[in-house]
C-alpha cells in the first residue's frame, strides 16, 4: 500500500513538474515569437475586443480580415503594398490572433462580424470594401448579412462559407481539444506540438505551392505558435458550424455586391463547395479562379490585387 501511494505521489509530481517545464517552454517560445514579429500598428478598443491594426495609404478605404491562425502580416506580406498607392488599406488582427485580444468569451463568426462592424464604425469609415481570407471570408459574410449598411461590397479570397463535415488535416488536432481545456492545452502541449509539426502543417496549408522561407517573420507565422493564438484557433474551429449552418441558409438575403476568388488547387477549402456553390446562392455574386492553393494572398498577390480592385469598382 505504501509503495502504491509513493508511486502515485511520484507520478503526480512528475506530471506536475513536466507540465510546469512545458508551460515555461511555451512562454519562452511566445516571447521569442513576439520579438521576431512585433506589433506593427495601433490599438483600438471596440465592443468585445481590443484590436490591433495597421492603416496605410490614402484614398477609398479597404478593410482586410485574415483567416484561421493567421495575422495581419498575411496581407502585408505583399498584397497591401500593391494597393496602398490608390487606397487606404486597413488590416486588422482578429481577436486572439496577432496582437488582438477578446475582452470576454472568445466570439464565434457572427460575434467577430459584430466586432469588425464596430471597428468600422469606431474608425468612422465610409462604407469600405471588406476583404476576407479563409475564415475571414466567413466573418465578411456575417457583416454582409447583419451589418450590410456599413460596407460597399465583399471581396472574399479562398473563403470558408459553409458548414464543414470534416476538418482539414492541418487543423484536426486543434479541433479535437475540448472547450474547457483549450487554454490549458495550448499553454502546456499546444506550443511544443506546434513547434514539432509546424513544417508539415504549413506545407499542407500552402499546398501545392511552397512555403516562403520568410513566412515566420514577414508573414507573421511565428505568432501562431503562441498559446493564446492556439487556444483562439481551437475556439474558432470548435464553433464554425454553429454559426455557418444558419448563415448559409440566409445567403440569398445578401444585398451587397460580392465577389469570390479561389485557387483551383486549394487543399484546405473546396472551391466547388465554398466558392461556386456560395456564389450561386448570393444574388449577383461572381466567382473567379486562378492557379494556386489556399494562401494566394501571399503566393499570388498580383492576382489578388487585381481581384480586389475589380471588387471595389463593382461595389
Amino acid at each position: 500500500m505504501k509503495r502504491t501511494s509513493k508511486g502515485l505521489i511520484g507520478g503526480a509530481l512528475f506530471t506536475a513538474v513536466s507540465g510546469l517545464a512545458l508551460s515555461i517552454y511555451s512562454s519562452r517560445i511566445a516571447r521569442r515569437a513576439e520579438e521576431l514579429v512585433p506589433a506593427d500598428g495601433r490599438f483600438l478598443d471596440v465592443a468585445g475586443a481590443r484590436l490591433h491594426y495597421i492603416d496605410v495609404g490614402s484614398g477609398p478605404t479597404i478593410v482586410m480580415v485574415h483567416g484561421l491562425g493567421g495575422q495581419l502580416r498575411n496581407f502585408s506580406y505583399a498584397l497591401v503594398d500593391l494597393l496602398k498607392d490608390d487606397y487606404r488599406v486597413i488590416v486588422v488582427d482578429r481577436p486572439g490572433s496577432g496582437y488582438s485580444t477578446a475582452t470576454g468569451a472568445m466570439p464565434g463568426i457572427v460575434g467577430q462580424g459584430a466586432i469588425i462592424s464596430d471597428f468600422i464604425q469606431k474608425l468612422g469609415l465610409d462604407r469600405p470594401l471588406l476583404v476576407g481570407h479563409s475564415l475571414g471570408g466567413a466573418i465578411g459574410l456575417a457583416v454582409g448579412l447583419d451589418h450590410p449598411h456599413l460596407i460597399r461590397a465583399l471581396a472574399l479570397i479562398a473563403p470558408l462559407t459553409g458548414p464543414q463535415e470534416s476538418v482539414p488535416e492541418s487543423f484536426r488536432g486543434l479541433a479535437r481539444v475540448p472547450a474547457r481545456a483549450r487554454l490549458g492545452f495550448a499553454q502546456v502541449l499546444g506550443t511544443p506540438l506546434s513547434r514539432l509539426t509546424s513544417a508539415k502543417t504549413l506545407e499542407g496549408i500552402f499546398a501545392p505551392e511552397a512555403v516562403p522561407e520568410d513566412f515566420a517573420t514577414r508573414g507573421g507565422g511565428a505568432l501562431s505558435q503562441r498559446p493564446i493564438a492556439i487556444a483562439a484557433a481551437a475556439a474558432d474551429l470548435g464553433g464554425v458550424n454553429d454559426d455557418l449552418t444558419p448563415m448559409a441558409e440566409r445567403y440569398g438575403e445578401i444585398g451587397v455586391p460580392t465577389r469570390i476568388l479561389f485557387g483551383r488547387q486549394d487543399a484546405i477549402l473546396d472551391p466547388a463547395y465554398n466558392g461556386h456553390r456560395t456564389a450561386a446562392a448570393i444574388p449577383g455574386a461572381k466567382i473567379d479562379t486562378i492557379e494556386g492553393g489556399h494562401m494566394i494572398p501571399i503566393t499570388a498577390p498580383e492576382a489578388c490585387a487585381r481581384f480586389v480592385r475589380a471588387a471595389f469598382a463593382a461595389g
Side-chain angles (χ1 to χ4, degrees), residues 44-51 95-96 100-107 115 118 228:
L44 181 68
D45 291 321
V46 301
R50 185 170 194 251
L51 298 179
S100 291
T101 54
T103 53
M106 186 64 191
I115 285 170
D118 195 34
I228 186 176

Side-chain angles (χ1 to χ4, degrees), residues 4 11 16 43 49 57 83 102 110 112 114 128 139 155 158 167 184 214 218 224 226 237-238 242 245 293 295 312:
T4 302
F43 291 87
L83 297 168
V110 172
Q112 291 186 53
I139 293 164
V167 176
D214 57 356
R218 182 178 166 190
S224 67
R226 297 179 306 160
L237 282 170
D242 293 341
T245 298
M295 297 300 289
F312 197 100

Side-chain angles (χ1 to χ4, degrees), residues 34 37-47 49-55 71-73 88 90-103 115 118-120 122-123 223 226 228:
E34 290 166 359
V37 186
D40 295 313
R42 312 170 187 174
F43 291 87
L44 181 68
D45 291 321
V46 301
R50 185 170 194 251
L51 298 179
H52 172 244
Y53 69 101
I54 59 171
D55 186 342
Q71 193 252 349
L72 61 80
R73 289 195 187 193
R88 177 186 180 187
I90 299 171
V91 192
V92 59
D93 283 337
R94 294 189 301 103
S97 298
Y99 286 94
S100 291
T101 54
T103 53
I115 285 170
D118 195 34
F119 175 72
I120 290 171
K122 287 279 176 65
L123 287 179
L223 293 180
R226 297 179 306 160
I228 186 176

